[in-house]
Amino acid sequence: MFVRHGQFVPAAARRGSVMPAIAIAFLVCGALLALVLNQYWLSGAQEELLTATQAAALAGARELACDDRLKEDFDARHNADHVRQVIEDQSFANQVAGPLTAKLEVHLARVTVDPETGQQESEESDDDPNAVLVIGHRDRSTSNPVALVGSVFTGRTAADVTVNVEASVSNVIDGVRPVGAGDVPAWPIAILEASPDDRIPSWVNQIEMHQGTDRYRWDAEKHEVVEEPDGLPEMTLTPQGENVATNVYLVNIGTGFDTDQLVQQMRDGWSTSNLEDLNGEFTFAEGPVDLEADSDFDNDAGDELQRQIGQARIVLLYSKVLPGQDGLPMVQTTRFVAARLMAVMGEGKNLQFIVQPAVVATRTAMLDEEALQQGDSQGNPYIYKISITQ
């Protein structure tokens, strides 16, 4: 019988055969780890760049819907240059991802809907644009790429990231509605729409027919009201007083005129709970809306309004005063406008508020989809829907 004995392999030889395998495993694990970490860095950089670019695009879109649009000498091309400057300033002021790029790409366009096809059409233009496309870069051409790890494994030290964001505004609206936790930026106020004569100042006469005085200007950079003309007419709102006709009312929009709720509404706007009786939204799609009214501003709500000099909010216009209940009248509200509070005169029962027209861009505006599909461009000059559309 033969016995076969195994061949003896020295330990040193065995170690030599294992080391290459360990080295290869180390390289594979290192490469995989580098890939995972790099994907994490890239995803984070992409998210930060997107957030910063969205902020820049929204800042530009807000300037497309500016108060200057209400001036008779509004220059769309000059405003387009201003929009580009605002976006550039926003990009370098960004606190999230640092400066986006040394050269930020900005494109302004006019977006319309073809009434025959219902398709959107976009044409790059500085003539009355309603959309802004911002392209944010972090790449090697701008000396701001995303640094990568593990170049010994991947052969790459940096990567490029680019994002496109489009923000647009539209004033073809048919109402307002809170969005999430965002209340409608509106005051519970109704202003007289029109007067048959000039005895009672009204929005149409003083603002839209430019019969009002022009004494104040809103300084957006300093965030203060300056006593000098700016090309926008003003209107004096008189709640009540001796031998003076009322042309402004507080209106009951879901508060029941409860003092605390009125003060909060004057400060924060119309909430979802405020609009419950109106099915969560305020619209004139079915005609005028009658609201309970009160001409007494000599209270905490009036005090809160006085503290908001310089602020711009959506307000209502009313066409007539109707009999009400519990000693309070009703006003028939007809449309939305926006007003900026410029000054407060008098006190107590002799309060007067000086306002001028403003433009408010808000996510809470509701687009009139039917009018948009029909190509109707006649919108509300005071209120714009602002949104990220790409």
Side-chain angles (χ1 to χ4, degrees), residues 21-44:
I22 294 176
I24 293 172
F26 174 76
L27 288 173
V28 171
C29 290
L32 289 175
L33 180 61
L35 289 173
V36 171
L37 289 175
N38 286 337
Q39 185 59 44
Y40 175 77
W41 303 143
L42 286 172
S43 296

PDB file of all heavy atoms in Angstrom, residues 21-44:
ATOM      1  N   ALA A  21      -3.393  39.705  -2.768  1.00  0.00           N
ATOM      2  CA  ALA A  21      -4.849  39.695  -2.623  1.00  0.00           C
ATOM      3  C   ALA A  21      -5.309  40.770  -1.652  1.00  0.00           C
ATOM      4  O   ALA A  21      -6.323  41.452  -1.862  1.00  0.00           O
ATOM      5  CB  ALA A  21      -5.311  38.315  -2.150  1.00  0.00           C
ATOM      6  N   ILE A  22      -4.538  40.933  -0.550  1.00  0.00           N
ATOM      7  CA  ILE A  22      -4.881  41.978   0.424  1.00  0.00           C
ATOM      8  C   ILE A  22      -4.756  43.355  -0.215  1.00  0.00           C
ATOM      9  O   ILE A  22      -5.609  44.242  -0.022  1.00  0.00           O
ATOM     10  CB  ILE A  22      -3.980  41.865   1.666  1.00  0.00           C
ATOM     11  CG1 ILE A  22      -4.278  40.558   2.415  1.00  0.00           C
ATOM     12  CG2 ILE A  22      -4.165  43.067   2.586  1.00  0.00           C
ATOM     13  CD1 ILE A  22      -3.364  40.318   3.605  1.00  0.00           C
ATOM     14  N   ALA A  23      -3.721  43.549  -0.991  1.00  0.00           N
ATOM     15  CA  ALA A  23      -3.512  44.840  -1.645  1.00  0.00           C
ATOM     16  C   ALA A  23      -4.648  45.149  -2.613  1.00  0.00           C
ATOM     17  O   ALA A  23      -5.156  46.284  -2.674  1.00  0.00           O
ATOM     18  CB  ALA A  23      -2.173  44.845  -2.378  1.00  0.00           C
ATOM     19  N   ILE A  24      -5.030  44.138  -3.380  1.00  0.00           N
ATOM     20  CA  ILE A  24      -6.134  44.340  -4.326  1.00  0.00           C
ATOM     21  C   ILE A  24      -7.431  44.660  -3.587  1.00  0.00           C
ATOM     22  O   ILE A  24      -8.194  45.554  -3.965  1.00  0.00           O
ATOM     23  CB  ILE A  24      -6.307  43.091  -5.213  1.00  0.00           C
ATOM     24  CG1 ILE A  24      -5.081  42.928  -6.131  1.00  0.00           C
ATOM     25  CG2 ILE A  24      -7.580  43.178  -6.036  1.00  0.00           C
ATOM     26  CD1 ILE A  24      -5.074  41.630  -6.903  1.00  0.00           C
ATOM     27  N   ALA A  25      -7.702  43.943  -2.482  1.00  0.00           N
ATOM     28  CA  ALA A  25      -8.911  44.205  -1.693  1.00  0.00           C
ATOM     29  C   ALA A  25      -8.891  45.614  -1.127  1.00  0.00           C
ATOM     30  O   ALA A  25      -9.921  46.315  -1.085  1.00  0.00           O
ATOM     31  CB  ALA A  25      -9.028  43.181  -0.563  1.00  0.00           C
ATOM     32  N   PHE A  26      -7.705  46.057  -0.687  1.00  0.00           N
ATOM     33  CA  PHE A  26      -7.581  47.407  -0.147  1.00  0.00           C
ATOM     34  C   PHE A  26      -7.899  48.449  -1.213  1.00  0.00           C
ATOM     35  O   PHE A  26      -8.605  49.429  -0.959  1.00  0.00           O
ATOM     36  CB  PHE A  26      -6.160  47.609   0.382  1.00  0.00           C
ATOM     37  CG  PHE A  26      -5.890  49.009   0.835  1.00  0.00           C
ATOM     38  CD1 PHE A  26      -6.383  49.478   2.044  1.00  0.00           C
ATOM     39  CD2 PHE A  26      -5.133  49.863   0.039  1.00  0.00           C
ATOM     40  CE1 PHE A  26      -6.133  50.777   2.446  1.00  0.00           C
ATOM     41  CE2 PHE A  26      -4.879  51.159   0.442  1.00  0.00           C
ATOM     42  CZ  PHE A  26      -5.387  51.622   1.655  1.00  0.00           C
ATOM     43  N   LEU A  27      -7.382  48.218  -2.416  1.00  0.00           N
ATOM     44  CA  LEU A  27      -7.649  49.155  -3.505  1.00  0.00           C
ATOM     45  C   LEU A  27      -9.135  49.198  -3.856  1.00  0.00           C
ATOM     46  O   LEU A  27      -9.723  50.268  -4.071  1.00  0.00           O
ATOM     47  CB  LEU A  27      -6.824  48.770  -4.735  1.00  0.00           C
ATOM     48  CG  LEU A  27      -5.317  49.023  -4.642  1.00  0.00           C
ATOM     49  CD1 LEU A  27      -4.609  48.436  -5.857  1.00  0.00           C
ATOM     50  CD2 LEU A  27      -5.048  50.526  -4.546  1.00  0.00           C
ATOM     51  N   VAL A  28      -9.751  48.029  -3.907  1.00  0.00           N
ATOM     52  CA  VAL A  28     -11.180  47.966  -4.244  1.00  0.00           C
ATOM     53  C   VAL A  28     -12.018  48.666  -3.182  1.00  0.00           C
ATOM     54  O   VAL A  28     -12.911  49.476  -3.488  1.00  0.00           O
ATOM     55  CB  VAL A  28     -11.617  46.502  -4.414  1.00  0.00           C
ATOM     56  CG1 VAL A  28     -13.140  46.412  -4.551  1.00  0.00           C
ATOM     57  CG2 VAL A  28     -10.955  45.879  -5.626  1.00  0.00           C
ATOM     58  N   CYS A  29     -11.733  48.382  -1.904  1.00  0.00           N
ATOM     59  CA  CYS A  29     -12.494  49.011  -0.813  1.00  0.00           C
ATOM     60  C   CYS A  29     -12.279  50.519  -0.798  1.00  0.00           C
ATOM     61  O   CYS A  29     -13.210  51.299  -0.588  1.00  0.00           O
ATOM     62  CB  CYS A  29     -12.070  48.409   0.528  1.00  0.00           C
ATOM     63  SG  CYS A  29     -12.603  46.695   0.759  1.00  0.00           S
ATOM     64  N   GLY A  30     -11.017  50.931  -1.028  1.00  0.00           N
ATOM     65  CA  GLY A  30     -10.731  52.361  -1.057  1.00  0.00           C
ATOM     66  C   GLY A  30     -11.458  53.056  -2.186  1.00  0.00           C
ATOM     67  O   GLY A  30     -11.996  54.161  -2.010  1.00  0.00           O
ATOM     68  N   ALA A  31     -11.493  52.415  -3.351  1.00  0.00           N
ATOM     69  CA  ALA A  31     -12.192  53.008  -4.495  1.00  0.00           C
ATOM     70  C   ALA A  31     -13.685  53.107  -4.229  1.00  0.00           C
ATOM     71  O   ALA A  31     -14.334  54.121  -4.537  1.00  0.00           O
ATOM     72  CB  ALA A  31     -11.922  52.189  -5.749  1.00  0.00           C
ATOM     73  N   LEU A  32     -14.249  52.023  -3.658  1.00  0.00           N
ATOM     74  CA  LEU A  32     -15.684  52.040  -3.346  1.00  0.00           C
ATOM     75  C   LEU A  32     -16.014  53.120  -2.326  1.00  0.00           C
ATOM     76  O   LEU A  32     -17.015  53.838  -2.447  1.00  0.00           O
ATOM     77  CB  LEU A  32     -16.122  50.666  -2.830  1.00  0.00           C
ATOM     78  CG  LEU A  32     -16.161  49.537  -3.862  1.00  0.00           C
ATOM     79  CD1 LEU A  32     -16.489  48.209  -3.183  1.00  0.00           C
ATOM     80  CD2 LEU A  32     -17.188  49.838  -4.952  1.00  0.00           C
ATOM     81  N   LEU A  33     -15.174  53.237  -1.289  1.00  0.00           N
ATOM     82  CA  LEU A  33     -15.398  54.263  -0.275  1.00  0.00           C
ATOM     83  C   LEU A  33     -15.305  55.657  -0.886  1.00  0.00           C
ATOM     84  O   LEU A  33     -16.123  56.540  -0.574  1.00  0.00           O
ATOM     85  CB  LEU A  33     -14.380  54.116   0.858  1.00  0.00           C
ATOM     86  CG  LEU A  33     -14.490  55.149   2.007  1.00  0.00           C
ATOM     87  CD1 LEU A  33     -15.849  55.045   2.674  1.00  0.00           C
ATOM     88  CD2 LEU A  33     -13.368  54.930   3.017  1.00  0.00           C
ATOM     89  N   ALA A  34     -14.330  55.850  -1.755  1.00  0.00           N
ATOM     90  CA  ALA A  34     -14.187  57.147  -2.420  1.00  0.00           C
ATOM     91  C   ALA A  34     -15.403  57.464  -3.268  1.00  0.00           C
ATOM     92  O   ALA A  34     -15.894  58.602  -3.279  1.00  0.00           O
ATOM     93  CB  ALA A  34     -12.916  57.155  -3.275  1.00  0.00           C
ATOM     94  N   LEU A  35     -15.922  56.469  -3.982  1.00  0.00           N
ATOM     95  CA  LEU A  35     -17.112  56.674  -4.806  1.00  0.00           C
ATOM     96  C   LEU A  35     -18.323  57.062  -3.959  1.00  0.00           C
ATOM     97  O   LEU A  35     -19.096  57.960  -4.308  1.00  0.00           O
ATOM     98  CB  LEU A  35     -17.413  55.413  -5.617  1.00  0.00           C
ATOM     99  CG  LEU A  35     -16.442  55.092  -6.761  1.00  0.00           C
ATOM    100  CD1 LEU A  35     -16.763  53.733  -7.366  1.00  0.00           C
ATOM    101  CD2 LEU A  35     -16.504  56.187  -7.829  1.00  0.00           C
ATOM    102  N   VAL A  36     -18.481  56.365  -2.815  1.00  0.00           N
ATOM    103  CA  VAL A  36     -19.614  56.671  -1.927  1.00  0.00           C
ATOM    104  C   VAL A  36     -19.488  58.082  -1.367  1.00  0.00           C
ATOM    105  O   VAL A  36     -20.443  58.860  -1.380  1.00  0.00           O
ATOM    106  CB  VAL A  36     -19.697  55.633  -0.782  1.00  0.00           C
ATOM    107  CG1 VAL A  36     -20.720  56.079   0.258  1.00  0.00           C
ATOM    108  CG2 VAL A  36     -20.058  54.267  -1.341  1.00  0.00           C
ATOM    109  N   LEU A  37     -18.291  58.425  -0.871  1.00  0.00           N
ATOM    110  CA  LEU A  37     -18.084  59.759  -0.306  1.00  0.00           C
ATOM    111  C   LEU A  37     -18.249  60.843  -1.361  1.00  0.00           C
ATOM    112  O   LEU A  37     -18.874  61.887  -1.106  1.00  0.00           O
ATOM    113  CB  LEU A  37     -16.704  59.843   0.332  1.00  0.00           C
ATOM    114  CG  LEU A  37     -16.499  59.046   1.628  1.00  0.00           C
ATOM    115  CD1 LEU A  37     -15.049  59.135   2.083  1.00  0.00           C
ATOM    116  CD2 LEU A  37     -17.434  59.536   2.723  1.00  0.00           C
ATOM    117  N   ASN A  38     -17.724  60.591  -2.561  1.00  0.00           N
ATOM    118  CA  ASN A  38     -17.843  61.585  -3.619  1.00  0.00           C
ATOM    119  C   ASN A  38     -19.301  61.793  -4.036  1.00  0.00           C
ATOM    120  O   ASN A  38     -19.716  62.910  -4.326  1.00  0.00           O
ATOM    121  CB  ASN A  38     -16.995  61.183  -4.824  1.00  0.00           C
ATOM    122  CG  ASN A  38     -15.519  61.376  -4.569  1.00  0.00           C
ATOM    123  OD1 ASN A  38     -15.137  62.167  -3.712  1.00  0.00           O
ATOM    124  ND2 ASN A  38     -14.677  60.651  -5.303  1.00  0.00           N
ATOM    125  N   GLN A  39     -20.065  60.704  -4.072  1.00  0.00           N
ATOM    126  CA  GLN A  39     -21.480  60.832  -4.403  1.00  0.00           C
ATOM    127  C   GLN A  39     -22.202  61.652  -3.340  1.00  0.00           C
ATOM    128  O   GLN A  39     -23.084  62.464  -3.644  1.00  0.00           O
ATOM    129  CB  GLN A  39     -22.124  59.441  -4.522  1.00  0.00           C
ATOM    130  CG  GLN A  39     -23.574  59.471  -4.990  1.00  0.00           C
ATOM    131  CD  GLN A  39     -23.716  60.120  -6.343  1.00  0.00           C
ATOM    132  OE1 GLN A  39     -22.942  59.862  -7.262  1.00  0.00           O
ATOM    133  NE2 GLN A  39     -24.704  61.006  -6.491  1.00  0.00           N
ATOM    134  N   TYR A  40     -21.791  61.429  -2.091  1.00  0.00           N
ATOM    135  CA  TYR A  40     -22.375  62.209  -0.986  1.00  0.00           C
ATOM    136  C   TYR A  40     -22.019  63.684  -1.135  1.00  0.00           C
ATOM    137  O   TYR A  40     -22.886  64.558  -1.003  1.00  0.00           O
ATOM    138  CB  TYR A  40     -21.855  61.674   0.341  1.00  0.00           C
ATOM    139  CG  TYR A  40     -22.279  62.475   1.539  1.00  0.00           C
ATOM    140  CD1 TYR A  40     -23.564  62.360   2.066  1.00  0.00           C
ATOM    141  CD2 TYR A  40     -21.390  63.361   2.149  1.00  0.00           C
ATOM    142  CE1 TYR A  40     -23.953  63.107   3.167  1.00  0.00           C
ATOM    143  CE2 TYR A  40     -21.771  64.117   3.246  1.00  0.00           C
ATOM    144  CZ  TYR A  40     -23.044  63.986   3.752  1.00  0.00           C
ATOM    145  OH  TYR A  40     -23.425  64.728   4.833  1.00  0.00           O
ATOM    146  N   TRP A  41     -20.725  63.992  -1.416  1.00  0.00           N
ATOM    147  CA  TRP A  41     -20.327  65.392  -1.591  1.00  0.00           C
ATOM    148  C   TRP A  41     -21.078  66.024  -2.757  1.00  0.00           C
ATOM    149  O   TRP A  41     -21.537  67.166  -2.672  1.00  0.00           O
ATOM    150  CB  TRP A  41     -18.825  65.507  -1.863  1.00  0.00           C
ATOM    151  CG  TRP A  41     -17.860  64.936  -0.887  1.00  0.00           C
ATOM    152  CD1 TRP A  41     -16.683  64.322  -1.171  1.00  0.00           C
ATOM    153  CD2 TRP A  41     -17.951  64.925   0.547  1.00  0.00           C
ATOM    154  NE1 TRP A  41     -16.044  63.922  -0.028  1.00  0.00           N
ATOM    155  CE2 TRP A  41     -16.805  64.284   1.050  1.00  0.00           C
ATOM    156  CE3 TRP A  41     -18.903  65.377   1.455  1.00  0.00           C
ATOM    157  CZ2 TRP A  41     -16.577  64.084   2.400  1.00  0.00           C
ATOM    158  CZ3 TRP A  41     -18.682  65.190   2.812  1.00  0.00           C
ATOM    159  CH2 TRP A  41     -17.544  64.558   3.275  1.00  0.00           C
ATOM    160  N   LEU A  42     -21.171  65.292  -3.861  1.00  0.00           N
ATOM    161  CA  LEU A  42     -21.833  65.840  -5.047  1.00  0.00           C
ATOM    162  C   LEU A  42     -23.315  66.100  -4.802  1.00  0.00           C
ATOM    163  O   LEU A  42     -23.860  67.124  -5.226  1.00  0.00           O
ATOM    164  CB  LEU A  42     -21.651  64.898  -6.237  1.00  0.00           C
ATOM    165  CG  LEU A  42     -20.254  64.878  -6.861  1.00  0.00           C
ATOM    166  CD1 LEU A  42     -20.150  63.768  -7.893  1.00  0.00           C
ATOM    167  CD2 LEU A  42     -19.958  66.231  -7.513  1.00  0.00           C
ATOM    168  N   SER A  43     -23.981  65.159  -4.109  1.00  0.00           N
ATOM    169  CA  SER A  43     -25.406  65.342  -3.806  1.00  0.00           C
ATOM    170  C   SER A  43     -25.607  66.560  -2.916  1.00  0.00           C
ATOM    171  O   SER A  43     -26.535  67.362  -3.122  1.00  0.00           O
ATOM    172  CB  SER A  43     -25.965  64.087  -3.132  1.00  0.00           C
ATOM    173  OG  SER A  43     -25.910  62.984  -3.997  1.00  0.00           O
ATOM    174  N   GLY A  44     -24.734  66.692  -1.906  1.00  0.00           N
ATOM    175  CA  GLY A  44     -24.829  67.846  -1.020  1.00  0.00           C
ATOM    176  C   GLY A  44     -24.571  69.144  -1.752  1.00  0.00           C
ATOM    177  O   GLY A  44     -25.274  70.141  -1.552  1.00  0.00           O
TER     178      GLY A  44
END
